[in-house]
Amino acid sequence: MKHSLKKSKESVLNNTMINFKQNLFQKVPKALAYVIFFSVIMLLQQCAPQAKSGKLKNGDLLFVTAKETGLSGAINNVTQKQKEASFDHIGIVEKENNHWYVLHAAPKGGSQKQELQYFLADQADDGQKVIIYRLKPEYQTSIPIALKKAESMIGKPYNFNYILDENSYYCSDYIERAFRDDHIFKLEPMTFIDPKTGKTNDFWTEFYKKKNLKVPEGEPGCNPNGLAASEKLERVGEL
C-alpha cells in the first residue's frame, strides 16, 4: 500500500511538472520559460534534502547499509550482530548555521565534514540506504563534547589497515573516539573469523597478506555493526 501511494504521489508530481512546463511555454517567451522551468527544478532539488533532514536531531548517528560483496561484504561477514542490522559505515550529524553536515571518516577524503545532501548522494550512488540511530535521552548530554571532539579530528587520513593508531581513523573508530570521554561505546577484540567456516575469512587473509601484516585477530577495535547494537542507542528509521 505504501509503495502504491508513493508511486501515486510521484505520478501526480510528474504530471504537475509536465502541465506546468506546457503552460509556461505557451504563455512566456521560450528563453525566459527555460530559465523559469529549470529554476523551479533546482529549487525542488534543494528542498528534498531539507525535507529529509526534518527527521534529524543534532548528534544523530547515520549508519549506511552494507553491500554484499567486496570490502563492505567482508566487513559485514565477520561483524554482523543483528539480523535486521547490516552496516559498513557510520557518521554523526551536526547542525550549524541552519545547515546539516555529516562528520565521518571515509576512504575518500579521510576524516571530514560533509554537507548532508552530498553524503546522502554518495550512498545513493552505491545503492545503499542510510538509517538514523539516536542516543537514548539519558545519554544526550554526551553529544556536545562528542561533536567538539569529532571537529578536532577533521583532516586526519583514513586508516586503511583497521588497526588502531593515533594518526589515522576508520569510520567506527572515528565515532568511538568522539564519544570516548563519556564511555558511550567500547572497544572489543576484533575478529576476522567467518562464522560459517570457523576460519579466517579469505578476503581478510589476502587483504593483510598484501600489506605484509598479520591479521589482527583479537586486537582492540570496533565496527559499525557493533556500535549499532549498543543498548545506549535507539533506531529512529530510514533517512
Side-chain angles (χ1 to χ4, degrees):
M1 177 64 73
K2 289 184 178 179
H3 182 67
S4 298
L5 287 173
K6 183 178 179 182
K7 289 186 69 177
S8 178
K9 289 180 179 178
E10 290 176 349
S11 178
V12 170
L13 180 60
N14 289 335
N15 289 334
T16 300
M17 289 306 298
I18 291 172
N19 291 333
F20 170 74
K21 183 178 179 181
Q22 290 174 342
N23 292 332
L24 180 67
F25 277 69
Q26 290 173 359
K27 296 179 180 180
V28 300
K30 189 173 183 179
L32 179 58
Y34 273 114
V35 172
I36 296 173
F37 181 72
F38 286 111
S39 294
V40 171
I41 294 296
M42 291 180 67
L43 181 61
L44 290 173
Q45 290 175 338
Q46 290 175 354
C47 289
Q50 292 178 6
K52 285 189 174 184
S53 67
K55 297 181 179 180
L56 292 174
K57 288 187 177 181
N58 209 38
D60 280 352
L61 298 171
L62 302 185
F63 286 82
V64 180
T65 57
K67 299 178 183 178
E68 296 182 358
T69 59
L71 178 61
S72 176
I75 292 173
N76 191 59
N77 176 266
V78 297
T79 66
Q80 187 174 3
K81 294 189 175 184
Q82 307 172 69
K83 289 183 178 180
E84 71 276 9
S86 176
F87 306 115
D88 71 355
H89 191 57
I90 179 177
I92 182 171
V93 297
E94 180 178 27
K95 191 174 186 180
E96 184 178 78
N97 297 325
N98 211 34
H99 289 280
W100 287 98
Y101 298 90
V102 182
L103 285 70
H104 64 123
K108 183 179 179 180
S111 299
Q112 59 195 277
K113 185 174 183 175
Q114 186 179 24
E115 288 190 40
L116 174 64
Q117 60 179 323
Y118 297 121
F119 177 86
L120 295 178
D122 286 344
Q123 316 318 320
D125 287 345
D126 290 332
Q128 295 171 278
K129 297 179 181 179
V130 176
I131 309 299
I132 307 169
Y133 276 71
R134 182 171 296 153
L135 266 69
K136 292 180 179 178
E138 58 267 39
Y139 303 109
Q140 287 280 316
T141 54
S142 299
I143 290 173
I145 295 174
L147 287 173
K148 186 175 181 180
K149 177 64 175 178
E151 289 272 6
S152 73
M153 295 187 289
I154 291 174
K156 289 282 189 176
Y158 189 76
N159 183 345
F160 286 95
N161 292 333
Y162 305 103
I163 300 172
L164 297 179
D165 67 55
E166 299 303 315
N167 299 309
S168 60
Y169 314 124
Y170 53 88
C171 67
S172 54
D173 172 29
Y174 179 83
I175 298 301
E176 186 278 326
R177 287 174 190 267
F179 285 97
R180 187 174 291 181
D181 286 350
D182 285 340
H183 309 286
I184 297 299
F185 302 108
K186 60 182 180 180
L187 298 175
E188 298 178 338
M190 292 191 293
T191 182
F192 298 86
I193 302 294
D194 187 329
K196 295 179 181 179
T197 65
K199 299 179 180 179
T200 301
N201 182 282
D202 290 341
F203 178 96
W204 293 112
T205 299
E206 291 301 314
F207 181 88
Y208 284 105
K209 183 178 180 180
K210 291 177 181 177
K211 293 176 177 290
N212 293 316
L213 293 171
K214 179 183 176 182
V215 176
E217 181 71 29
E219 293 192 22
C222 54
N223 60 76
N225 282 322
L227 269 57
S230 171
E231 61 183 13
K232 297 173 183 177
L233 299 181
E234 53 187 5
R235 182 174 174 137
V236 176
E238 185 176 338
L239 182 59

PDB file of all heavy atoms in Angstrom, residues 54-71:
ATOM      1  N   GLY A  54      14.343  16.823   8.266  1.00  0.00           N
ATOM      2  CA  GLY A  54      13.332  17.072   9.279  1.00  0.00           C
ATOM      3  C   GLY A  54      13.259  15.974  10.320  1.00  0.00           C
ATOM      4  O   GLY A  54      12.756  16.185  11.427  1.00  0.00           O
ATOM      5  N   LYS A  55      13.746  14.773   9.989  1.00  0.00           N
ATOM      6  CA  LYS A  55      13.754  13.661  10.928  1.00  0.00           C
ATOM      7  C   LYS A  55      14.916  13.730  11.903  1.00  0.00           C
ATOM      8  O   LYS A  55      14.933  13.034  12.913  1.00  0.00           O
ATOM      9  CB  LYS A  55      13.857  12.325  10.168  1.00  0.00           C
ATOM     10  CG  LYS A  55      12.710  11.993   9.252  1.00  0.00           C
ATOM     11  CD  LYS A  55      12.954  10.636   8.615  1.00  0.00           C
ATOM     12  CE  LYS A  55      11.814  10.222   7.684  1.00  0.00           C
ATOM     13  NZ  LYS A  55      12.056   8.897   7.077  1.00  0.00           N
ATOM     14  N   LEU A  56      15.913  14.554  11.579  1.00  0.00           N
ATOM     15  CA  LEU A  56      17.171  14.542  12.316  1.00  0.00           C
ATOM     16  C   LEU A  56      17.185  15.430  13.552  1.00  0.00           C
ATOM     17  O   LEU A  56      16.486  16.438  13.634  1.00  0.00           O
ATOM     18  CB  LEU A  56      18.309  14.976  11.399  1.00  0.00           C
ATOM     19  CG  LEU A  56      18.699  14.030  10.263  1.00  0.00           C
ATOM     20  CD1 LEU A  56      19.742  14.685   9.377  1.00  0.00           C
ATOM     21  CD2 LEU A  56      19.223  12.708  10.819  1.00  0.00           C
ATOM     22  N   LYS A  57      18.051  15.031  14.496  1.00  0.00           N
ATOM     23  CA  LYS A  57      18.393  15.858  15.647  1.00  0.00           C
ATOM     24  C   LYS A  57      19.915  15.936  15.724  1.00  0.00           C
ATOM     25  O   LYS A  57      20.617  15.013  15.297  1.00  0.00           O
ATOM     26  CB  LYS A  57      17.826  15.247  16.934  1.00  0.00           C
ATOM     27  CG  LYS A  57      16.317  15.354  17.066  1.00  0.00           C
ATOM     28  CD  LYS A  57      15.859  14.880  18.431  1.00  0.00           C
ATOM     29  CE  LYS A  57      14.358  15.045  18.596  1.00  0.00           C
ATOM     30  NZ  LYS A  57      13.888  14.606  19.945  1.00  0.00           N
ATOM     31  N   ASN A  58      20.404  17.035  16.266  1.00  0.00           N
ATOM     32  CA  ASN A  58      21.843  17.219  16.384  1.00  0.00           C
ATOM     33  C   ASN A  58      22.467  16.045  17.139  1.00  0.00           C
ATOM     34  O   ASN A  58      21.983  15.641  18.203  1.00  0.00           O
ATOM     35  CB  ASN A  58      22.130  18.524  17.145  1.00  0.00           C
ATOM     36  CG  ASN A  58      23.436  19.154  16.735  1.00  0.00           C
ATOM     37  OD1 ASN A  58      23.808  19.133  15.553  1.00  0.00           O
ATOM     38  ND2 ASN A  58      24.151  19.731  17.681  1.00  0.00           N
ATOM     39  N   GLY A  59      23.539  15.476  16.564  1.00  0.00           N
ATOM     40  CA  GLY A  59      24.216  14.362  17.213  1.00  0.00           C
ATOM     41  C   GLY A  59      23.695  12.992  16.851  1.00  0.00           C
ATOM     42  O   GLY A  59      24.194  11.975  17.352  1.00  0.00           O
ATOM     43  N   ASP A  60      22.690  12.923  15.966  1.00  0.00           N
ATOM     44  CA  ASP A  60      22.221  11.617  15.498  1.00  0.00           C
ATOM     45  C   ASP A  60      23.338  10.902  14.752  1.00  0.00           C
ATOM     46  O   ASP A  60      24.213  11.534  14.150  1.00  0.00           O
ATOM     47  CB  ASP A  60      21.018  11.776  14.566  1.00  0.00           C
ATOM     48  CG  ASP A  60      19.714  12.001  15.310  1.00  0.00           C
ATOM     49  OD1 ASP A  60      19.702  11.877  16.548  1.00  0.00           O
ATOM     50  OD2 ASP A  60      18.707  12.305  14.652  1.00  0.00           O
ATOM     51  N   LEU A  61      23.276   9.590  14.776  1.00  0.00           N
ATOM     52  CA  LEU A  61      24.262   8.769  14.065  1.00  0.00           C
ATOM     53  C   LEU A  61      23.622   8.187  12.815  1.00  0.00           C
ATOM     54  O   LEU A  61      22.508   7.656  12.868  1.00  0.00           O
ATOM     55  CB  LEU A  61      24.774   7.650  14.972  1.00  0.00           C
ATOM     56  CG  LEU A  61      25.503   8.127  16.228  1.00  0.00           C
ATOM     57  CD1 LEU A  61      25.789   6.964  17.166  1.00  0.00           C
ATOM     58  CD2 LEU A  61      26.798   8.827  15.856  1.00  0.00           C
ATOM     59  N   LEU A  62      24.324   8.293  11.700  1.00  0.00           N
ATOM     60  CA  LEU A  62      23.836   7.760  10.432  1.00  0.00           C
ATOM     61  C   LEU A  62      24.611   6.495  10.088  1.00  0.00           C
ATOM     62  O   LEU A  62      25.832   6.531   9.908  1.00  0.00           O
ATOM     63  CB  LEU A  62      23.996   8.800   9.316  1.00  0.00           C
ATOM     64  CG  LEU A  62      23.289  10.143   9.529  1.00  0.00           C
ATOM     65  CD1 LEU A  62      23.445  11.008   8.283  1.00  0.00           C
ATOM     66  CD2 LEU A  62      21.808   9.949   9.866  1.00  0.00           C
ATOM     67  N   PHE A  63      23.899   5.391  10.005  1.00  0.00           N
ATOM     68  CA  PHE A  63      24.506   4.109   9.648  1.00  0.00           C
ATOM     69  C   PHE A  63      24.151   3.791   8.194  1.00  0.00           C
ATOM     70  O   PHE A  63      22.990   3.883   7.798  1.00  0.00           O
ATOM     71  CB  PHE A  63      23.993   2.995  10.556  1.00  0.00           C
ATOM     72  CG  PHE A  63      24.564   3.026  11.956  1.00  0.00           C
ATOM     73  CD1 PHE A  63      24.031   3.872  12.916  1.00  0.00           C
ATOM     74  CD2 PHE A  63      25.630   2.211  12.308  1.00  0.00           C
ATOM     75  CE1 PHE A  63      24.543   3.900  14.203  1.00  0.00           C
ATOM     76  CE2 PHE A  63      26.153   2.225  13.592  1.00  0.00           C
ATOM     77  CZ  PHE A  63      25.608   3.076  14.544  1.00  0.00           C
ATOM     78  N   VAL A  64      25.151   3.398   7.414  1.00  0.00           N
ATOM     79  CA  VAL A  64      24.963   3.094   5.996  1.00  0.00           C
ATOM     80  C   VAL A  64      24.911   1.582   5.812  1.00  0.00           C
ATOM     81  O   VAL A  64      25.797   0.862   6.286  1.00  0.00           O
ATOM     82  CB  VAL A  64      26.108   3.686   5.153  1.00  0.00           C
ATOM     83  CG1 VAL A  64      25.908   3.364   3.673  1.00  0.00           C
ATOM     84  CG2 VAL A  64      26.197   5.200   5.370  1.00  0.00           C
ATOM     85  N   THR A  65      23.865   1.116   5.138  1.00  0.00           N
ATOM     86  CA  THR A  65      23.706  -0.327   4.942  1.00  0.00           C
ATOM     87  C   THR A  65      24.856  -0.914   4.127  1.00  0.00           C
ATOM     88  O   THR A  65      25.393  -0.269   3.231  1.00  0.00           O
ATOM     89  CB  THR A  65      22.369  -0.646   4.251  1.00  0.00           C
ATOM     90  OG1 THR A  65      22.298   0.070   3.004  1.00  0.00           O
ATOM     91  CG2 THR A  65      21.200  -0.246   5.130  1.00  0.00           C
ATOM     92  N   ALA A  66      25.203  -2.134   4.450  1.00  0.00           N
ATOM     93  CA  ALA A  66      26.357  -2.788   3.831  1.00  0.00           C
ATOM     94  C   ALA A  66      26.020  -3.385   2.474  1.00  0.00           C
ATOM     95  O   ALA A  66      24.893  -3.821   2.222  1.00  0.00           O
ATOM     96  CB  ALA A  66      26.876  -3.886   4.754  1.00  0.00           C
ATOM     97  N   LYS A  67      27.016  -3.404   1.614  1.00  0.00           N
ATOM     98  CA  LYS A  67      26.908  -4.130   0.357  1.00  0.00           C
ATOM     99  C   LYS A  67      27.163  -5.608   0.638  1.00  0.00           C
ATOM    100  O   LYS A  67      27.616  -5.984   1.723  1.00  0.00           O
ATOM    101  CB  LYS A  67      27.931  -3.610  -0.651  1.00  0.00           C
ATOM    102  CG  LYS A  67      27.769  -2.142  -1.022  1.00  0.00           C
ATOM    103  CD  LYS A  67      28.874  -1.741  -2.001  1.00  0.00           C
ATOM    104  CE  LYS A  67      28.807  -0.277  -2.349  1.00  0.00           C
ATOM    105  NZ  LYS A  67      29.907   0.129  -3.261  1.00  0.00           N
ATOM    106  N   GLU A  68      26.906  -6.436  -0.352  1.00  0.00           N
ATOM    107  CA  GLU A  68      27.072  -7.876  -0.145  1.00  0.00           C
ATOM    108  C   GLU A  68      28.433  -8.385  -0.599  1.00  0.00           C
ATOM    109  O   GLU A  68      28.808  -9.509  -0.282  1.00  0.00           O
ATOM    110  CB  GLU A  68      25.970  -8.633  -0.883  1.00  0.00           C
ATOM    111  CG  GLU A  68      24.561  -8.342  -0.354  1.00  0.00           C
ATOM    112  CD  GLU A  68      23.504  -9.140  -1.067  1.00  0.00           C
ATOM    113  OE1 GLU A  68      23.861  -9.898  -2.001  1.00  0.00           O
ATOM    114  OE2 GLU A  68      22.315  -9.030  -0.698  1.00  0.00           O
ATOM    115  N   THR A  69      29.176  -7.558  -1.335  1.00  0.00           N
ATOM    116  CA  THR A  69      30.454  -8.011  -1.883  1.00  0.00           C
ATOM    117  C   THR A  69      31.584  -7.047  -1.540  1.00  0.00           C
ATOM    118  O   THR A  69      31.359  -5.989  -0.973  1.00  0.00           O
ATOM    119  CB  THR A  69      30.368  -8.143  -3.415  1.00  0.00           C
ATOM    120  OG1 THR A  69      30.020  -6.858  -3.982  1.00  0.00           O
ATOM    121  CG2 THR A  69      29.320  -9.159  -3.817  1.00  0.00           C
ATOM    122  N   GLY A  70      32.811  -7.446  -1.911  1.00  0.00           N
ATOM    123  CA  GLY A  70      33.971  -6.586  -1.722  1.00  0.00           C
ATOM    124  C   GLY A  70      34.286  -6.324  -0.261  1.00  0.00           C
ATOM    125  O   GLY A  70      33.939  -7.113   0.624  1.00  0.00           O
ATOM    126  N   LEU A  71      34.947  -5.191   0.011  1.00  0.00           N
ATOM    127  CA  LEU A  71      35.332  -4.838   1.374  1.00  0.00           C
ATOM    128  C   LEU A  71      34.111  -4.726   2.276  1.00  0.00           C
ATOM    129  O   LEU A  71      34.121  -5.190   3.416  1.00  0.00           O
ATOM    130  CB  LEU A  71      36.110  -3.515   1.364  1.00  0.00           C
ATOM    131  CG  LEU A  71      36.541  -2.966   2.720  1.00  0.00           C
ATOM    132  CD1 LEU A  71      37.467  -3.937   3.430  1.00  0.00           C
ATOM    133  CD2 LEU A  71      37.225  -1.609   2.556  1.00  0.00           C
TER     134      LEU A  71
END
